[in-house]
Amino acid sequence: MMAPPLRPAARVIALDDDDNVLLRYDENGGFWATPGGSLDSGEDYPTAVRRELREELGVDDAQVRLGAQIAERSKIHQVGGHDVRQVEKYYLAHLAATAINPARATQPDTTRARRWWTLDELRDTRETIYPLGLANLIAEIRAAGVPDTPVVLR
């Protein structure tokens, strides 16, 4: 059996000035997740993060303070009806809550809703949040700062 093709993806853990995290609700899967998506041909991860914020949420590049890669996750799942092995690199970004402008989003995809979550809300919700362990990762960043090496997420 052949291994599924690799699909590199850039994801962003976007925090506002109060360390609330921005998530989008995907109506096809019924879950909340960080913004992001697959890399375009020849694109690096930081460029993809900025593009995805612009496409999905209408965020202007000038409003993003992009930080380092803080986490990574590898998962086999379906894209377009076919299995892929998606390797996601998560980058930390800071932006104001007012930076979100859905009217400027060029590819909102299947995003049904977007909202800022507090750390307590992330911990207390019964809704599905991806990546798993996001609340713990944000709590660790608050307590100890950005990790020296990317954290491996499930």
Side-chain angles (χ1 to χ4, degrees), residues 77-110:
H77 70 107
Q78 293 240 320
V79 174
H82 302 284
D83 281 347
V84 297
R85 183 172 65 88
Q86 184 156 300
V87 176
E88 301 171 335
K89 293 187 180 186
Y90 289 79
Y91 285 77
L92 184 64
H94 289 87
L95 52 117
T98 57
I100 308 306
N101 185 347
R104 284 194 314 235
T106 58
Q107 290 183 353
D109 296 328
T110 59

Short mmCIF file of all heavy atoms in Angstrom, two decimals, residues 77-110:
data_model
loop_
_atom_site.label_atom_id
_atom_site.label_comp_id
_atom_site.label_asym_id
_atom_site.label_seq_id
_atom_site.Cartn_x
_atom_site.Cartn_y
_atom_site.Cartn_z
N HIS A 77 -5.51 12.60 6.77
CA HIS A 77 -6.93 12.90 6.67
C HIS A 77 -7.31 13.10 5.22
O HIS A 77 -6.47 13.07 4.33
CB HIS A 77 -7.32 14.10 7.55
CG HIS A 77 -6.80 15.41 7.07
ND1 HIS A 77 -7.61 16.35 6.50
CD2 HIS A 77 -5.56 15.95 7.08
CE1 HIS A 77 -6.88 17.41 6.18
NE2 HIS A 77 -5.65 17.19 6.52
N GLN A 78 -8.59 13.28 4.98
CA GLN A 78 -9.09 13.40 3.61
C GLN A 78 -9.13 14.85 3.15
O GLN A 78 -9.58 15.74 3.88
CB GLN A 78 -10.51 12.82 3.52
CG GLN A 78 -10.55 11.33 3.74
CD GLN A 78 -11.10 10.61 2.54
OE1 GLN A 78 -12.04 11.04 1.91
NE2 GLN A 78 -10.50 9.48 2.23
N VAL A 79 -8.66 15.06 1.94
CA VAL A 79 -8.77 16.35 1.26
C VAL A 79 -9.27 16.02 -0.15
O VAL A 79 -8.64 15.25 -0.86
CB VAL A 79 -7.42 17.10 1.21
CG1 VAL A 79 -7.55 18.36 0.36
CG2 VAL A 79 -6.93 17.45 2.61
N GLY A 80 -10.40 16.58 -0.50
CA GLY A 80 -10.95 16.31 -1.82
C GLY A 80 -11.25 14.85 -2.07
O GLY A 80 -11.13 14.37 -3.20
N GLY A 81 -11.59 14.11 -1.01
CA GLY A 81 -11.94 12.71 -1.16
C GLY A 81 -10.76 11.75 -1.19
O GLY A 81 -10.94 10.55 -1.40
N HIS A 82 -9.54 12.27 -0.99
CA HIS A 82 -8.34 11.43 -1.02
C HIS A 82 -7.54 11.61 0.26
O HIS A 82 -7.44 12.72 0.78
CB HIS A 82 -7.46 11.79 -2.22
CG HIS A 82 -8.17 11.67 -3.53
ND1 HIS A 82 -8.42 10.45 -4.12
CD2 HIS A 82 -8.69 12.61 -4.34
CE1 HIS A 82 -9.07 10.65 -5.26
NE2 HIS A 82 -9.25 11.95 -5.41
N ASP A 83 -6.93 10.52 0.73
CA ASP A 83 -6.06 10.60 1.90
C ASP A 83 -4.79 11.36 1.58
O ASP A 83 -4.20 11.17 0.50
CB ASP A 83 -5.68 9.20 2.39
CG ASP A 83 -6.76 8.53 3.21
OD1 ASP A 83 -7.71 9.21 3.62
OD2 ASP A 83 -6.65 7.31 3.43
N VAL A 84 -4.39 12.23 2.51
CA VAL A 84 -3.11 12.93 2.43
C VAL A 84 -2.48 12.88 3.82
O VAL A 84 -3.17 12.71 4.82
CB VAL A 84 -3.25 14.41 1.99
CG1 VAL A 84 -3.82 14.52 0.59
CG2 VAL A 84 -4.08 15.21 2.97
N ARG A 85 -1.17 13.00 3.86
CA ARG A 85 -0.47 13.16 5.14
C ARG A 85 -0.14 14.63 5.26
O ARG A 85 0.79 15.13 4.62
CB ARG A 85 0.80 12.31 5.22
CG ARG A 85 1.46 12.44 6.62
CD ARG A 85 2.60 11.48 6.81
NE ARG A 85 3.72 11.73 5.93
CZ ARG A 85 4.73 12.57 6.20
NH1 ARG A 85 4.76 13.24 7.33
NH2 ARG A 85 5.71 12.71 5.34
N GLN A 86 -0.96 15.31 6.04
CA GLN A 86 -0.78 16.75 6.19
C GLN A 86 0.20 17.03 7.31
O GLN A 86 0.02 16.56 8.43
CB GLN A 86 -2.12 17.43 6.48
CG GLN A 86 -1.99 18.94 6.55
CD GLN A 86 -3.29 19.63 6.24
OE1 GLN A 86 -3.82 19.46 5.16
NE2 GLN A 86 -3.79 20.39 7.19
N VAL A 87 1.25 17.76 7.00
CA VAL A 87 2.23 18.20 7.99
C VAL A 87 2.01 19.68 8.17
O VAL A 87 2.25 20.48 7.26
CB VAL A 87 3.68 17.89 7.55
CG1 VAL A 87 4.67 18.46 8.55
CG2 VAL A 87 3.87 16.40 7.39
N GLU A 88 1.50 20.03 9.37
CA GLU A 88 1.15 21.41 9.67
C GLU A 88 2.22 22.03 10.56
O GLU A 88 2.60 21.46 11.58
CB GLU A 88 -0.19 21.46 10.41
CG GLU A 88 -1.32 20.86 9.63
CD GLU A 88 -2.60 20.71 10.43
OE1 GLU A 88 -2.53 20.63 11.68
OE2 GLU A 88 -3.66 20.69 9.80
N LYS A 89 2.67 23.21 10.17
CA LYS A 89 3.57 24.00 11.01
C LYS A 89 2.76 25.19 11.50
O LYS A 89 2.15 25.91 10.71
CB LYS A 89 4.80 24.44 10.24
CG LYS A 89 5.68 23.25 9.87
CD LYS A 89 6.98 23.67 9.25
CE LYS A 89 7.81 22.42 8.92
NZ LYS A 89 9.14 22.76 8.44
N TYR A 90 2.74 25.37 12.83
CA TYR A 90 1.96 26.42 13.47
C TYR A 90 2.87 27.59 13.84
O TYR A 90 3.89 27.39 14.49
CB TYR A 90 1.30 25.89 14.75
CG TYR A 90 0.17 24.93 14.48
CD1 TYR A 90 0.42 23.61 14.14
CD2 TYR A 90 -1.15 25.35 14.57
CE1 TYR A 90 -0.61 22.72 13.89
CE2 TYR A 90 -2.19 24.47 14.32
CZ TYR A 90 -1.92 23.16 13.99
OH TYR A 90 -2.94 22.29 13.74
N TYR A 91 2.45 28.78 13.43
CA TYR A 91 3.20 30.00 13.72
C TYR A 91 2.38 30.89 14.65
O TYR A 91 1.15 30.96 14.54
CB TYR A 91 3.50 30.76 12.43
CG TYR A 91 4.61 30.12 11.64
CD1 TYR A 91 4.37 28.98 10.88
CD2 TYR A 91 5.90 30.61 11.69
CE1 TYR A 91 5.38 28.36 10.17
CE2 TYR A 91 6.93 29.99 10.99
CZ TYR A 91 6.66 28.87 10.24
OH TYR A 91 7.67 28.25 9.56
N LEU A 92 3.07 31.57 15.54
CA LEU A 92 2.43 32.51 16.44
C LEU A 92 2.32 33.86 15.74
O LEU A 92 3.27 34.30 15.10
CB LEU A 92 3.25 32.65 17.72
CG LEU A 92 2.67 33.54 18.81
CD1 LEU A 92 1.35 32.96 19.33
CD2 LEU A 92 3.67 33.68 19.95
N ALA A 93 1.17 34.49 15.85
CA ALA A 93 0.97 35.82 15.29
C ALA A 93 0.15 36.64 16.27
O ALA A 93 -0.70 36.10 16.99
CB ALA A 93 0.26 35.75 13.94
N HIS A 94 0.44 37.93 16.31
CA HIS A 94 -0.36 38.86 17.12
C HIS A 94 -1.04 39.83 16.16
O HIS A 94 -0.41 40.35 15.23
CB HIS A 94 0.54 39.62 18.09
CG HIS A 94 1.05 38.75 19.20
ND1 HIS A 94 2.19 38.01 19.09
CD2 HIS A 94 0.54 38.47 20.42
CE1 HIS A 94 2.38 37.32 20.20
NE2 HIS A 94 1.39 37.58 21.02
N LEU A 95 -2.32 40.06 16.42
CA LEU A 95 -3.06 41.03 15.64
C LEU A 95 -4.22 41.54 16.48
O LEU A 95 -4.68 40.86 17.40
CB LEU A 95 -3.54 40.45 14.31
CG LEU A 95 -4.32 39.16 14.33
CD1 LEU A 95 -5.72 39.39 13.80
CD2 LEU A 95 -3.60 38.16 13.44
N ALA A 96 -4.66 42.73 16.18
CA ALA A 96 -5.79 43.31 16.89
C ALA A 96 -7.07 42.62 16.45
O ALA A 96 -7.20 42.20 15.30
CB ALA A 96 -5.87 44.81 16.61
N ALA A 97 -8.02 42.54 17.36
CA ALA A 97 -9.32 41.94 17.03
C ALA A 97 -9.97 42.67 15.86
O ALA A 97 -10.66 42.07 15.05
CB ALA A 97 -10.23 41.95 18.25
N THR A 98 -9.69 43.95 15.74
CA THR A 98 -10.27 44.76 14.65
C THR A 98 -9.63 44.48 13.30
O THR A 98 -10.11 44.98 12.28
CB THR A 98 -10.15 46.25 14.98
OG1 THR A 98 -8.76 46.55 15.19
CG2 THR A 98 -10.95 46.62 16.22
N ALA A 99 -8.56 43.70 13.27
CA ALA A 99 -7.88 43.39 11.99
C ALA A 99 -8.71 42.45 11.12
O ALA A 99 -8.51 42.39 9.91
CB ALA A 99 -6.51 42.78 12.26
N ILE A 100 -9.64 41.72 11.71
CA ILE A 100 -10.47 40.77 10.96
C ILE A 100 -11.50 41.55 10.15
O ILE A 100 -12.26 42.34 10.70
CB ILE A 100 -11.20 39.80 11.91
CG1 ILE A 100 -10.23 39.13 12.88
CG2 ILE A 100 -12.00 38.77 11.12
CD1 ILE A 100 -9.07 38.44 12.26
N ASN A 101 -11.51 41.32 8.84
CA ASN A 101 -12.47 42.01 7.96
C ASN A 101 -12.98 41.00 6.93
O ASN A 101 -12.44 40.91 5.82
CB ASN A 101 -11.80 43.21 7.28
CG ASN A 101 -12.78 44.01 6.47
OD1 ASN A 101 -13.89 43.57 6.19
ND2 ASN A 101 -12.37 45.20 6.09
N PRO A 102 -14.02 40.24 7.28
CA PRO A 102 -14.54 39.20 6.38
C PRO A 102 -14.91 39.73 4.99
O PRO A 102 -14.86 38.98 4.02
CB PRO A 102 -15.76 38.66 7.12
CG PRO A 102 -15.49 38.94 8.55
CD PRO A 102 -14.74 40.25 8.55
N ALA A 103 -15.26 41.01 4.89
CA ALA A 103 -15.61 41.57 3.58
C ALA A 103 -14.42 41.58 2.63
O ALA A 103 -14.59 41.57 1.41
CB ALA A 103 -16.17 42.98 3.75
N ARG A 104 -13.20 41.58 3.18
CA ARG A 104 -11.99 41.56 2.35
C ARG A 104 -11.48 40.15 2.08
O ARG A 104 -10.54 39.97 1.31
CB ARG A 104 -10.87 42.37 3.02
CG ARG A 104 -11.03 43.86 2.92
CD ARG A 104 -9.74 44.59 3.29
NE ARG A 104 -9.13 44.08 4.50
CZ ARG A 104 -8.80 44.79 5.56
NH1 ARG A 104 -9.04 46.09 5.57
NH2 ARG A 104 -8.25 44.25 6.61
N ALA A 105 -12.05 39.15 2.76
CA ALA A 105 -11.59 37.76 2.58
C ALA A 105 -11.87 37.33 1.15
O ALA A 105 -12.97 37.48 0.64
CB ALA A 105 -12.30 36.85 3.57
N THR A 106 -10.85 36.80 0.49
CA THR A 106 -11.00 36.38 -0.90
C THR A 106 -11.35 34.91 -1.05
O THR A 106 -11.84 34.50 -2.09
CB THR A 106 -9.71 36.68 -1.70
OG1 THR A 106 -8.61 36.01 -1.07
CG2 THR A 106 -9.44 38.18 -1.76
N GLN A 107 -11.04 34.11 -0.02
CA GLN A 107 -11.36 32.69 -0.06
C GLN A 107 -11.82 32.23 1.32
O GLN A 107 -11.08 31.55 2.04
CB GLN A 107 -10.15 31.87 -0.50
CG GLN A 107 -9.79 32.05 -1.94
CD GLN A 107 -8.63 31.15 -2.33
OE1 GLN A 107 -8.02 30.48 -1.53
NE2 GLN A 107 -8.33 31.15 -3.62
N PRO A 108 -13.04 32.58 1.71
CA PRO A 108 -13.51 32.17 3.03
C PRO A 108 -13.75 30.67 3.15
O PRO A 108 -13.99 30.17 4.23
CB PRO A 108 -14.80 32.97 3.22
CG PRO A 108 -15.23 33.36 1.85
CD PRO A 108 -14.00 33.41 1.00
N ASP A 109 -13.65 29.93 2.03
CA ASP A 109 -13.80 28.47 2.03
C ASP A 109 -15.10 28.06 2.71
O ASP A 109 -16.15 28.57 2.40
CB ASP A 109 -12.59 27.79 2.67
CG ASP A 109 -11.30 28.03 1.91
OD1 ASP A 109 -11.37 28.17 0.68
OD2 ASP A 109 -10.25 28.09 2.54
N THR A 110 -14.98 27.16 3.65
CA THR A 110 -16.17 26.65 4.34
C THR A 110 -16.33 27.29 5.72
O THR A 110 -17.03 26.75 6.57
CB THR A 110 -16.07 25.12 4.49
OG1 THR A 110 -14.88 24.81 5.23
CG2 THR A 110 -16.06 24.43 3.14
#
